[in-house]
Amino acid sequence: LKAVVDSLLLSMEKSMRKNVNVSAVIFRTIFVTLGVVGILSSLGWFNREYNINWYVFYTNLSNYICIIVMFISLIFSAKGKDTVLPRFRFYCLIMILVTFFVYNILLSGEHTPYTYFTDISCTLLHCVLPIMYFLDWLLFCKRNTLKVVDPILSVIMPLIYVAYIVIRSSLITHPAKGVVIYPYFFLDLGKLGWSGFLGWVGVLLAIFIALGYILYMVDKVIKGKNKSCLLYTSPSPRDA
């Protein structure tokens, strides 16, 4: 037991010497672990039934991207290095907040509180991981890296998804049984028509660009030593 404790203390000492943010490493490890569980759940692993529509839902795709980005950030933080691509991480933040707000405001009515929080995939991908990603950005990501145009650029990935759904729906003329064409009612071009479709997309874009500027201001307001975030520690030159 003493050997184990000594080993842990030695590891912590080495981490401190390398300027590793232990809190960030622990937080991101938990995120990635829960993310893997969420991915498996979205694929139907826990239901013992393959989900043939996993690649259609924005929830899944946005979480997959954020999990990959968080895994890369975990590696960087474990090495005591700067957070990778802070502007792109901001784009991912807006992308996953779209998941959080759209689902919980517009789509979660089909769930009772019990079914919502007992569904592993639903809870992780729509609630836990988006909130954790936001907290990671708030607590550990380097500040003052954003440009005034970034809140607008941050909706490019959601727009790519919208284009993907439109193109995919036009190519599928005879869908197989169980195949989802329009995953969300506000993207159902067949029912809404172009005017309704563009109306929904325009309103959502405006809301999330506005949210982006709110977070942009938060990024400017929260200032710490070395332009760092609340719990972020900038690497020393010798460790860079």
Side-chain angles (χ1 to χ4, degrees), residues 42-139:
S42 70
L43 296 175
W45 178 272
F46 299 110
N47 296 329
R48 296 290 187 264
E49 183 179 357
Y50 177 66
N51 179 11
I52 62 173
N53 296 301
W54 64 267
Y55 61 94
V56 181
F57 290 93
Y58 179 89
T59 291
N60 294 340
L61 301 179
S62 61
N63 273 276
Y64 296 168
I65 293 173
C66 287
I67 292 165
I68 293 171
V69 170
M70 189 69 83
F71 178 70
I72 296 172
S73 298
L74 170 61
I75 294 174
F76 272 68
S77 57
K79 293 181 178 180
K81 295 184 178 180
D82 218 343
T83 303
V84 62
L85 300 175
R87 292 178 66 198
F88 182 72
R89 292 213 60 195
F90 177 77
Y91 302 159
C92 292
L93 172 64
I94 298 299
M95 178 178 64
I96 202 167
L97 287 180
V98 170
T99 296
F100 177 79
F101 285 112
V102 169
Y103 184 82
N104 289 292
I105 294 174
L106 296 178
L107 303 172
S108 62
E110 63 188 30
H111 283 285
T112 65
Y114 175 79
T115 59
Y116 184 104
F117 290 107
T118 55
D119 185 325
I120 295 176
S121 178
C122 181
T123 303
L124 287 178
L125 302 183
H126 294 125
C127 184
V128 176
L129 293 180
I131 290 174
M132 288 186 68
Y133 197 93
F134 169 72
L135 290 175
D136 182 86
W137 176 81
L138 187 68
L139 298 174

Side-chain angles (χ1 to χ4, degrees), residues 3-4 14 61 68 97 117 124 152 180 211 216:
V4 173
K14 288 181 178 179
L61 301 179
I68 293 171
L97 287 180
F117 290 107
L124 287 178
I152 297 175
V180 172
L211 175 62
Y216 171 82

Side-chain angles (χ1 to χ4, degrees), residues 162-179:
V162 171
Y164 158 65
I165 291 299
V166 171
I167 294 171
R168 177 179 176 272
S169 66
S170 67
L171 295 177
I172 300 178
T173 54
H174 298 89
K177 183 180 179 181
V179 172

Side-chain angles (χ1 to χ4, degrees), residues 206-224:
I207 291 172
F208 285 103
I209 288 174
L211 175 62
Y213 276 107
I214 292 173
L215 294 176
Y216 171 82
M217 294 305 298
V218 170
D219 179 71
K220 298 301 179 184
V221 169
I222 302 177
K223 293 181 180 179

